[in-house]
Structures are given as C-alpha cells and as structure tokens.
Amino acid sequence: MATIAPVSTVMSNRKARFQSSPFRHLDPFLIIPVLIMNVLSLVMIYSSTKGKATLRGEAAFGDPFYYVKRQALFVMLGLIIMAVTILIDYRRLREWALGIYLLTVAMLAFVLTPLGSSVNGSQARFALGPFAIQPSEFAKFSVILMAAAYAAVHRGDMDVRRVLVVLGIAAIPLALVMLQPDLGTALVIGTIIIAVLGVAGVKARHLAVLALIGVTGAVVAINVGVLEQYQVDRLTAFLDQNGDTQRSTYNLEQSKTAIGNGGLTGQGLFKGTQTSLGHVPEQHTDFIFTAVGEELGFLGAALLLSLFGLVVWRSWRTAAVSNDFFGALLCVGVVAMFSFQVFENVGMTMGIMPITGIPLPFLSYGGSSAFVSFACVGLVANVSMRRFS
Amino acid sequence: MNQTRLRLSIIGVVVIAVFSAMFARLWYLQIAQGSEYVAQAESNSYRTLQEAPLRGRILDVKGKVLADSRIANVITIDRGIDPEQQKIVVGRLSELLAVPSKTLESRLADQRVSPYAPVPVAVDVPIEALTFVSEHSEDFPGVNAEPMAIRRYPNGSLASHLLGYTGEINEDELAARPTSAKYGLGEDIGKEGIELTYESTLRGTPGKEEFQVDASGNVLRSVRRVAPKVGHDVQLTIDLDIQRVAESALADAMASARTRRDITRADKFINLKAGAGSVVVIDVTDGSVVALASNPTFDPNEFINGIPTVRWKALNDPVNNYPLLDRAIAGQYAPGSTFKLVTAVAGLRSGMITPNSTVEDTGKYKISEQTFTNSNSEPFGRISLQRALTVSSDVYFYTIGGSLWSKQRRNESGGDVIQETARLYGFGRATGIALPNEAAGRVPDSAWKQRIHDARPDAFPYPDWLPGDNVQLAVGQGDSLATPLQIAMAYQAFASGGRLSTPRLVSRILDSKGRLNRENPAVEVGRVPVPGRDTMLAGFGGVVGSSTGTAFGAFGSYPQTPPSVGGKTGTAQVAGKQNTSLFVGFTPIQNPRYVVSVVVEEGGYGAETAAPIARAIFEALNGLPVGPVASLAYEGGN
C-alpha cells in the first residue's frame, strides 16, 4: 500500500492540475477541422500551381512546390499565432483591444501611401522582405476585437450614441479598405459589425433605420453611377489588369465549368483538366474551391463545406455557452466573418454571388489571410476553454 | 440572456440558410448539370487543327505537268498582334529577309486574306532566316515560319484559262460547300477553270490533329493525328504542244493584224484592233479537247498568296480586254459564214436544195423590197452547193433563208428548219464542257423575237420575224450568237459523220501514286443528220485547196499533200465594231481527225487573221514544221 500511495498521489495531483487547466476544455471539433483543411489546402495549392513551374516569367518557374512551400511556412506561423492567441487569456486582450485597433488603422493608412504596393489595381499590401503584408486582413480581427470590447461594456444598453460608436469603430477601417479599393473585405467588415451589433442588443428599430440608410445609400450610389462603375472596375481589376467585363464572365464560366466537371467523385487528385491546364484564373488564391470541386467532386467539396460548417457551429456554440458577454461577442464576430467569407467565396465560384476578391479561409494561398484565420480560431478556442474559469 | 439567445439563434438560422444554399448549388452544378460541364471542360482543353491536304496535279494528255503544288518555307504574320509590335516585327523581318518594309506591309494589309488566318508575307525564305526566326521567337511575336503548300503553274500563262487558279476560300464559297467537306478558313480552293470544276478531286481529304491545350491555347501534347490524303491528279485531254502552238499562233496573228489597215473602212486609215481571240481544237473521234486558247491571257501564278490589288484591277479593266475571260467558251459571236454548214444541212434535209442543184448568183438577193449582197457584191454565176461553200457565196444561202421564210409565211411546216438544225448541232445551249461560266449562245427565231419585243417594246419595236431575219440567219448574221467551242463542236459532229459529243476535257483521274482512279469516257449526246456530207467536204476542201477558195491564200504555204485540210472562213459584221474574223476547219478532209475553230475579235476578214492561225495549228497537228504566222492581205470572199 505504502508503495502505491505516492504514485496515486502523483497521479491525482497531475489529474487535478489537468482538470483545473483550461486546456482540458480545448475543443477538438474546432481545431481538428482546421488542421484537416490546412492539409487539404497544401494539396490543392500544389495541384493548381504545379503548372506554373513551366511558365517563364512566373515566380514559380522551375519549382512546382514554390507556392506549397511558402504556404507551409504560413501555416507554421499561423499555428504559432493560434497557439499564442489561445495561451493569452482573452479577457486580457480586452485591455489591448484599442492598441491593436489603432495599430491596424495606422497600417491601413500606411498601405495607401506610396510605400504600399499596388497589385492588380488594388493598393492593398506592403512588402516585408520576400512577403507582402495585407493589413485589410488584420482589420477584420481588429474590428471584431474592438467592437466586442466596446459593446460588451454596454450590454443591453445600446442607445443611439453607442450604436454610432460601434459603427464608427467599423467605419474608419472600412473607409480605408474601400480606398484601396477592396470591396470584398469591406463587405466582411460590414457583416461582422452588423452581427456584433445585433447580438450586443441593438434595438430593433435602430437596426431597421440602419437597414433603411443602407438600402437608400445603395440606391443613391447605383443611380449616381458611382458604385456601378466602381464594381465593374473592381470586378475586373483583381482578376486581370487588361480585363474587361467579357473577360470576367469568361472567368465565371471557367470556374463553374471546373466545379461542374468534378461530378460526384471528382476527376481525381491532380487530374482536373480545368485545374491543371490553368483555365481558372487566380485559382490558388480566390478560386481554390474550384480545384477542390473539380478534382475531389461533390463528395470532397461537400466535405470541405461540412468542415467549415463544423468550425462555424463550434464558434456559434462557444458564443452561446461563453461565461461572459465579451467572449460571446468575439465568437459572434468570428461566426459572421467565417460564414460570410465562405459564402461569398464559394458562392462566387458557383455563380450565386458577385465576384469580389475574398480568400477562402484556410484554403486560399496567402499569409495574411492564414494568420488572421488562425488567430480567429484561436480566439474562439480561447473563449471556449476558459468558459469554466 | 434570453434575448441574447434569441439573437444568437437568428444568426444560427442565417448561417444554416447560407450553408444550405451552398450545398444546393454545389449539388446543382456537380450532379444535376454535371454532364454539361464535363462536356464543356472537355472542349475547353482540346483543340482540333485541320491540316489541308496537298492538292493534286493537273496533267496534259501526255502526262506533262500543267499545275502542281510544292512545299515552300513561308513566313506568316498574325494580324492579331498590336500595331506597335507589328511595326517592330515588320522592321526586323525586313532586315532579316532583305525585303523592303513597304512590301511586307502591303502584303499584311491585303484585305483578301481573311483576318483570322496568318498572312504569308514572304515565300521561299532561306533556311537560315527560318532558323533565326524560330530561335528568336520572343523577338518575333506573331511571326511563324512554316512549310506551306504553294500551287505552281510551271508553264506560266499557258492554258491559264482552262486551268484556272486557286485562292483563299471566301465566305460565299465556304457557305456553298457542304459542311461535310470541312473547309477551313484560310484554306485554298479552286476559283476558276479545272481548278474549280475538279475541286473535290484535286483537293484531297483534310487531315486533323487533336491537341490538348492550356488556358492560353498553348499546345501541351498531340492526342491524335489523322494524316491528310493527297488529292488526285487530273489528266486532261489537252496536248500541251498543240496548246502552245495555238496560243503563240493566236498571239502572233493578232499582233500582226494590229499593224494592218481595216480595209472595210471607207477611209482605210484605221488599223485592225484585233484585241481578243480564241482557238478551240477538238479530236473528232471522241470530242476530246486538244487545245483551248484565249487571248489576252494571264499568269495564274500571280494569284498565289493573293494577287496584288493593282494587278487584279488591271485584269478586270476593259482597256485590257478582260484577260480573265475565257473567250473559247464564254465569248459569243455572230458565227458568220461558218454557220453555212447548218444552213446547208437544213436546205438538204428539207429538200429545198440537193447536192447538185444550182442557184444563179448575181451578187445580189432581193426579198420583200430588201436587197442583200455578197461581199463586195461579187457575182459568182450559176453555182452548186460545193462551189457556194468554196467561194462563200452569200446569195446561195440567202436564197435558202428567204425561201424558208416564205414557207413560214405560208404557215407550212419546216419553215424553221435552220433553227431546228442549229439546235440539233448544239447551238443555243452550253456544250457542257467541264469548265465554269460557259455561255449558251443564241439561235434566234420568231418566238425569241416576240419575247424580246414584249420585254422591251421601246428597244425592239418589231415583234415579227421578218424575211431579213431569216436571210441574215442563213449566213450566221443578225441575232445569231455562238461560242468558238459551239462552232467547233458543230463541225466535229458533221466531220464525225453525225456524232454530237460533249466536249471532253478530262481523260482520266489518277491517284497520288499515279495509278488509274477512273477513266472519264467520251460522252455522245446524240446523232445529227449529215446529208450531202461528201459534197460539202469537197466544198470545205476547196476553201483551202482551190484557187477560188476564200482561204486559199492563207494556206498558200500549206503542203497540198495528204493529210489535207478543209474549212470555212467567216467574216461577221458587228454593229459599231470591226468585223469578227473566223475560221473553222478540219484535217484530214476524207476522214477528219481534228477540228480547229478560230475567232479573232475585230480581226477583219476570216481569211485575213483567223485562217493563218488555223493553218499553223494544222501543221502542228499533222507533224509538219510550223511556219510563221501573220495576218494576210485580203483577197476576196468572206
């Protein structure tokens, strides 16, 4: 007995420590789908970029793994960022919210200066060594954090002034993003803020007025012709610098053809003709879903959508079970962000949403998008596992 | 808290709706509509390139090459590249090929090459230049160096009218050909002559190659290739040696005629114009065409890779007498005295004359207050059919025409026997030679005259068939029109003893290895009556051989030993123009083998210009040395 007791004591101590640790509540249904999606991402990026290795003048010339290697690096960094986001108690982030927010706004302003670089007609990034930072991606995270931090304080008491403050929090980065111009990210920020406002307890009539202003604004913009012209420019600018509207419908046709070509079980990995022959533009970034659709078919694409559904569901559930309102609002922001981005991105490849440049979280090639997506998942996992403490 | 849950639930519902929409759309694209997109993706990634086959050759009766195709190294420029770049590329090519930029630019601007097809700007490029272009392709965007089949006519303008030429297919031709023929834009097609009528034989079967391509259209690999099949060779009945003699005799006589006065003119200070003419040589035994010449002529090689606009305009300019017109089959002339063959046969058939019956020729013939005269009103006295043909008495044939008119007037049957005989002999309709644009000629009669009056009473005030009409018809004047080929075929029918044939231009089709594919047999259309043939042959013989014959002078140098020749001169009057000079004859007289028909527009009397041409051709046909050809002084008779 004597020999057994210390052991059992150690055991129970460990168990006790584990039971008291928030990591005990780390949600596997949130993290595992994300890991699967990132593995899938590397495979699909390889499939859609391996052909570039034969094209003179391409950055990937001579190296079919060029984009895969870079993305693998982004995923590594993203995992670290997620770990850091999980480790720091989200309640402390609340204190840092304003600082992070102001830093992001500063970066958004900076990118518009001549120091930022213009790609495909959009002044959206600045160089950092061999990589390009896209502050608009980080703006999504900052807006979630800032809006949740502010609204949580005034829970259940969202008067007009406070609603305007929340709108203002979104409006500053949104305006800067529109100046780039980047319609897609602006729409994401708009969706995030509406969801956060909604859950934060904005009065129904305020929401109605907001909707009215929004619709009126849209009608005026279209009639004046500003938005229409802008949209056309935007649609074509990110796809093809020499593009015209005919070119963008061509792209949409190619995108739908690639997905349709997948059928039930797909053409097989690396065997999609639309994918391997480069018919779909921007396929490793905004149109990565077409590669999944063509090569893995309905089964693969539906599985991918289900993984997104799982992440969104776990985030929504975390919002529902969170033990404080700040945590709940953070999760609502993440739900809104992921849902809208997946819907807009997948929807545009299938022709049910207009074409705007939004990456598919965890799937599209790109560092900034990966970092922010990991950070957001980290945020949800953070809230989720600390719901008992 | 409850309110928060409610609000969260609303968000949950929205999210579920959004995901459901995506699943539904995914199902629609991949499962419901999947097969359509699969087909679309298939056509997206494969391209079929058609390969034009090598065109078959055109050979003469002995196998000499009249047209063939060779493979040449050609540099083409794509019109799709932007003008700035194009300018630079043209500059570089100009330096490389040592050709002025202007030449390249004018070829590039040629509107007759379709905008989709690359424009060939330089043919027969040295191999070094080709290698340079392909090795420095980035400096020559839109430039391609490729082997290309080029049509070649090794004998230049020789037989050009009957050969025709090829050119890039145009939209009308594309629409006219069946889709199963699979003509592609930019492909060459026969435009005229044998090249057109035997297009499907000469062309061959296009091949195709299927490629997998990427989104930019870059070829990744060849999937499948069906080699094109070389076209068949078309062997003609034309004898290139005779053709050459015919063309040079025609050209020489015309040139010579232009140096001589038009003696029918009162002032006699105007030269003969002799601006155009034609020759037809027919093998009497089966109606095969031995030679078919038309002057002025053109070089079909000029049409290769697009004829320059200036040249095209020149070829269609009236000042140059329309060199593209094949006068042997499309020129329509009053046949003049050559038509007396028909009138004589008609007179004999109807019993109006017999081979021995005579007519008193006073040089004048009077009917219904109208007087018609012989050439220069020359009286020939009492003459028979044989002598009437030899001296070309008009009065003899006027008499037949006048009497037949009287028959018509009395409503007796057989009054239109001249017209009926003319039609039997093939006048008034196309002969059916295997060439495009053949003219039908005209056999005028009372119904025709009524018809044109009804159509244009102001231009044709007299609806009735007048005695003068029938009298004029009897000597091939008035409103009669015949092509040189029709005249030749009528004499062929007579000379052969009554076998009217379709002119045979193609003897056989050979495959690309020279094996017989099919024979093209002679086609006999029907029998024609040949009453008094011996008498008439003697009369035709006299034209050449008798000192009183109209063409005696023209054949002065022709040896009077067998094989002998016979024929008939013709001098047709044309309102507002100089006389048309005609001669049609055959050799040997007793058992004719060849018929030669010659027509020279504004060439004066038949004996002056046409007869010497025929003489040279007879010499060649009979293996005699061909003497110099010149227009001769007129000695009387028409």
Side-chain angles (χ1 to χ4, degrees):
Chain A
M1 283 299 274
T3 50
I4 294 168
V7 174
S8 82
T9 308
V10 171
M11 286 292 284
S12 63
N13 279 349
R14 258 190 200 171
K15 203 174 168 190
R17 222 167 61 211
F18 180 72
Q19 274 173 347
S20 67
S21 160
F23 289 96
R24 184 172 161 256
H25 302 290
L26 191 60
D27 185 358
F29 297 108
L30 180 67
I31 305 299
I32 291 170
V34 167
L35 298 179
I36 296 172
M37 282 195 280
N38 275 290
V39 172
L40 181 64
S41 163
L42 294 176
V43 175
M44 297 325 295
I45 285 170
Y46 171 70
S47 182
S48 55
T49 60
K50 64 184 192 303
K52 289 179 190 283
T54 61
L55 299 178
R56 235 172 249 282
E58 277 283 343
F61 179 68
D63 181 6
F65 290 98
Y66 176 83
Y67 287 98
V68 180
K69 284 192 257 183
R70 285 172 69 98
Q71 183 68 15
L73 181 63
F74 299 150
V75 172
M76 295 296 175
L77 291 172
L79 286 169
I80 294 168
I81 287 169
M82 182 168 75
V84 170
T85 326
I86 291 172
L87 282 171
I88 301 165
D89 190 324
Y90 69 95
R91 284 157 291 211
R92 289 184 64 189
L93 284 176
R94 193 172 177 167
E95 295 151 28
W96 302 350
L98 187 61
I100 293 172
Y101 176 78
L102 291 176
L103 183 65
T104 311
V105 170
M107 272 161 62
L108 282 172
F110 174 74
V111 89
L112 292 172
T113 69
L115 288 168
S117 49
S118 178
V119 172
N120 290 351
S122 179
Q123 181 96 1
R125 53 194 76 188
F126 59 85
L128 197 76
F131 301 101
I133 302 292
Q134 237 179 307
S136 58
E137 288 294 326
F138 299 106
K140 299 177 203 166
F141 180 83
S142 305
V143 166
I144 293 174
L145 200 59
M146 188 64 207
Y150 180 81
V153 180
H154 306 285
R155 176 177 195 179
D157 191 16
M158 293 297 287
D159 58 19
V160 178
R161 193 177 57 83
R162 286 169 184 156
V163 169
L164 287 176
V165 170
V166 176
L167 288 177
I169 289 168
I172 295 166
L174 199 141
L176 290 169
V177 164
M178 286 292 269
L179 284 173
Q180 291 181 355
D182 180 353
L183 179 64
T185 305
L187 289 172
V188 177
I189 292 172
T191 308
I192 290 170
I193 216 67
I194 286 165
V196 170
L197 267 180
V199 177
V202 69
K203 291 182 176 65
R205 64 171 187 274
H206 289 160
L207 214 52
V209 170
L210 264 181
L212 201 66
I213 291 169
V215 170
T216 313
V219 169
V220 168
I222 288 168
N223 284 349
V224 170
V226 177
L227 188 60
E228 195 177 24
Q229 188 55 46
Y230 162 73
Q231 277 180 321
V232 171
D233 289 346
R234 186 73 198 83
L235 286 174
T236 56
F238 89 97
L239 281 173
D240 186 336
Q241 277 176 293
N242 312 318
D244 49 20
T245 44
Q246 217 180 343
R247 175 88 186 154
S248 59
T249 55
Y250 166 83
N251 290 338
L252 177 58
E253 274 314 305
Q254 295 300 335
S255 167
K256 281 157 69 180
T257 301
I259 295 171
N261 193 32
L264 180 65
T265 54
Q267 294 286 316
L269 207 52
F270 313 138
K271 286 181 188 153
T273 52
Q274 290 283 105
T275 298
S276 61
L277 302 180
H279 285 289
V280 184
E282 305 284 332
Q283 199 181 18
H284 60 300
T285 57
D286 293 343
F287 283 83
I288 190 82
F289 186 73
T290 59
V292 178
E294 184 179 32
E295 302 198 332
L296 305 179
F298 180 75
L299 295 180
L303 177 72
L304 176 59
L305 287 182
S306 304
L307 292 175
F308 277 121
L310 204 53
V311 170
V312 169
W313 173 54
R314 299 310 288 179
S315 304
W316 181 87
R317 191 181 162 276
T318 305
V321 301
S322 159
N323 77 345
D324 70 348
F325 199 52
F326 173 60
L329 288 182
L330 283 180
C331 295
V332 165
V334 173
V335 166
M337 185 190 94
F338 279 149
S339 303
F340 182 80
Q341 272 192 237
V342 171
F343 182 56
E344 165 56 37
N345 180 286
V346 172
M348 83 177 174
T349 65
M350 298 193 297
I352 54 174
M353 289 294 278
I355 294 180
T356 52
I358 291 187
L360 185 59
F362 301 119
L363 265 293
S364 289
Y365 169 82
S368 301
S369 166
F371 301 158
V372 172
S373 299
F374 274 114
C376 286
V377 169
L379 221 49
V380 172
N382 195 334
V383 175
S384 161
M385 71 185 191
R386 290 193 171 87
R387 65 183 186 273
F388 304 111
S389 56
Chain B
M1 195 64 202
N2 271 345
Q3 216 199 352
T4 306
R5 283 226 62 115
L6 174 69
R7 285 166 188 251
L8 272 175
S9 303
I10 292 171
I11 286 186
V13 168
V14 170
V15 169
I16 290 168
V18 157
F19 272 81
S20 305
M22 285 190 286
F23 277 108
R25 180 66 175 176
L26 196 60
W27 174 272
Y28 173 79
L29 285 182
Q30 296 195 298
I31 311 296
Q33 297 259 292
S35 54
E36 279 175 37
Y37 286 107
V38 170
Q40 179 63 41
E42 186 90 346
S43 75
N44 246 346
S45 39
Y46 295 97
R47 294 278 180 282
T48 305
L49 263 188
Q50 186 155 318
E51 281 182 68
L54 195 62
R55 202 173 173 82
R57 300 177 301 167
I58 304 176
L59 309 170
D60 93 333
V61 72
K62 292 171 187 162
K64 287 182 188 151
V65 175
L66 301 176
D68 66 358
S69 294
R70 68 194 174 90
I71 304 294
N73 292 320
V74 172
I75 282 190
T76 62
I77 300 184
D78 204 329
R79 277 191 184 146
I81 63 175
D82 77 61
E84 280 296 304
Q85 221 171 21
Q86 188 172 300
K87 219 169 183 177
I88 298 169
V89 165
V90 166
R92 283 181 186 151
L93 276 181
S94 158
E95 201 166 319
L96 179 68
L97 304 171
V99 174
S101 299
K102 281 222 164 91
T103 313
L104 298 176
E105 270 159 16
S106 69
R107 305 222 58 168
L108 204 51
D110 194 331
Q111 289 309 307
R112 279 164 308 106
V113 177
S114 98
Y116 312 106
V119 189
V121 292
V123 181
D124 286 326
V125 179
I127 190 77
E128 301 80 45
L130 276 190
T131 319
F132 190 85
V133 167
S134 43
E135 279 175 0
H136 298 79
S137 55
E138 65 277 12
D139 291 337
F140 294 94
V143 175
N144 267 309
E146 51 199 47
M148 208 179 203
I150 305 269
R151 200 66 169 155
R152 176 169 60 176
Y153 303 94
N155 306 296
S157 67
L158 200 60
S160 55
H161 292 95
L162 72 99
L163 292 175
Y165 53 89
T166 61
E168 189 182 342
I169 193 164
N170 63 35
E171 277 175 30
D172 294 340
E173 289 160 338
L174 202 57
R177 298 281 164 176
T179 13
S180 58
K182 293 197 168 61
Y183 275 93
L185 278 173
E187 195 176 332
D188 274 354
I189 189 169
K191 298 272 186 184
E192 285 291 346
I194 286 289
E195 294 276 27
L196 171 57
T197 46
Y198 276 80
E199 166 64 22
S200 58
T201 308
L202 289 165
R203 182 193 177 214
T205 313
K208 63 176 178 185
E209 187 159 13
E210 221 174 294
F211 296 102
Q212 194 172 30
V213 295
D214 69 9
S216 321
N218 299 317
V219 172
L220 300 178
R221 68 193 177 92
S222 170
V223 180
R224 200 157 62 91
R225 179 170 184 269
V226 181
K229 280 197 199 117
V230 179
H232 288 322
D233 290 348
V234 172
Q235 185 159 28
L236 303 181
T237 56
I238 296 291
D239 184 329
L240 197 60
D241 299 327
I242 304 298
Q243 177 79 24
R244 188 175 281 119
V245 169
E247 289 196 20
S248 63
L250 179 61
D252 290 352
M254 284 168 57
S256 153
R258 286 194 285 266
T259 66
R260 298 184 49 254
R261 302 283 190 226
D262 175 8
I263 56 169
T264 61
R265 301 271 302 207
D267 47 28
K268 300 195 176 175
F269 289 134
I270 303 270
N271 278 10
L272 287 169
K273 288 182 184 145
S278 60
V279 174
V280 179
V281 181
I282 301 290
D283 186 330
V284 173
T285 51
D286 61 357
S288 292
V289 182
V290 178
L292 201 65
S294 180
N295 190 299
T297 187
F298 64 95
D299 185 348
N301 291 302
E302 284 196 276
F303 288 85
I304 288 161
N305 285 326
I307 183 166
T309 313
V310 191
R311 285 296 300 147
W312 176 253
K313 276 190 183 147
L315 288 175
N316 287 284
D317 194 333
V319 171
N320 297 326
N321 280 312
Y322 301 104
L324 295 176
L325 179 65
D326 187 354
R327 288 176 163 80
I329 63 164
Q332 302 189 92
Y333 309 95
S337 296
T338 62
F339 192 73
K340 287 174 183 169
L341 165 74
V342 172
T343 307
V345 170
L348 291 165
R349 283 178 74 204
S350 64
M352 183 139 296
I353 56 169
T354 68
N356 299 316
S357 59
T358 55
V359 166
E360 180 63 34
D361 182 349
T362 61
K364 291 191 172 78
Y365 176 74
K366 207 171 163 190
I367 186 169
S368 303
E369 311 302 315
Q370 259 187 300
T371 303
F372 299 90
T373 66
N374 280 341
S375 179
N376 299 328
S377 302
E378 190 179 355
F380 292 110
R382 182 152 290 277
I383 50 172
S384 66
L385 174 59
Q386 181 186 331
R387 191 164 156 71
L389 287 170
T390 295
V391 302
S392 202
S393 155
D394 283 342
V395 170
Y396 186 94
F397 295 94
Y398 288 153
T399 311
I400 298 173
S403 306
L404 287 170
W405 180 81
S406 305
K407 253 188 160 178
Q408 286 188 31
R409 184 66 183 269
R410 294 191 299 271
N411 285 325
E412 288 173 32
S413 69
D416 59 351
V417 69
I418 297 177
Q419 287 95 334
E420 192 208 332
T421 307
R423 290 191 186 104
L424 276 177
Y425 269 75
F427 289 99
R429 63 168 187 274
T431 64
I433 191 172
L435 289 174
N437 307 319
E438 191 190 357
R442 182 202 297 144
V443 178
D445 59 11
S446 57
W448 170 80
K449 206 169 174 196
Q450 181 72 50
R451 208 163 52 238
I452 61 159
H453 168 78
D454 292 347
R456 293 276 312 276
D458 51 329
F460 306 103
Y462 306 107
D464 297 329
W465 187 249
L466 302 172
D469 292 325
N470 224 47
V471 169
Q472 296 267 41
L473 171 69
V475 295
Q477 286 289 161
D479 296 306
S480 304
L481 286 178
T483 67
L485 180 63
Q486 282 175 332
I487 297 171
M489 293 318 288
Y491 274 76
Q492 181 268 338
F494 176 80
S496 68
R499 293 195 312 271
L500 182 70
S501 302
T502 299
R504 174 171 173 254
L505 189 54
V506 172
S507 64
R508 62 181 66 87
I509 307 299
L510 306 169
D511 70 14
S512 59
K513 297 198 170 66
R515 291 174 306 217
L516 181 70
N517 178 267
R518 63 172 194 271
E519 287 282 354
N520 185 40
V523 177
E524 196 180 306
V525 188
R527 308 289 296 190
V528 296
V530 284
R533 179 163 174 267
D534 292 343
T535 306
M536 285 170 64
L537 284 176
F540 290 133
V543 169
V544 172
S546 157
S547 60
T548 55
T550 50
F552 181 71
F555 281 79
S557 64
Y558 191 87
Q560 287 305 307
T561 48
S564 54
V565 295
K568 184 73 200 80
T569 53
T571 305
Q573 282 140 28
V574 185
K577 285 189 173 174
Q578 297 171 334
N579 288 342
T580 309
S581 171
L582 299 102
F583 184 89
V584 53
F586 34 79
T587 187
I589 298 179
Q590 291 316 317
N591 186 19
R593 175 72 204 276
Y594 298 107
V595 166
V596 174
S597 148
V598 180
V599 178
V600 177
E601 292 175 23
E602 304 192 275
Y605 283 92
E608 271 186 285
T609 307
I613 296 168
R615 191 217 75 226
I617 297 165
F618 284 127
E619 285 165 351
L621 287 168
N622 289 319
L624 302 166
V626 178
V629 179
S631 180
L632 294 176
Y634 170 69
E635 292 174 352
N638 57 6

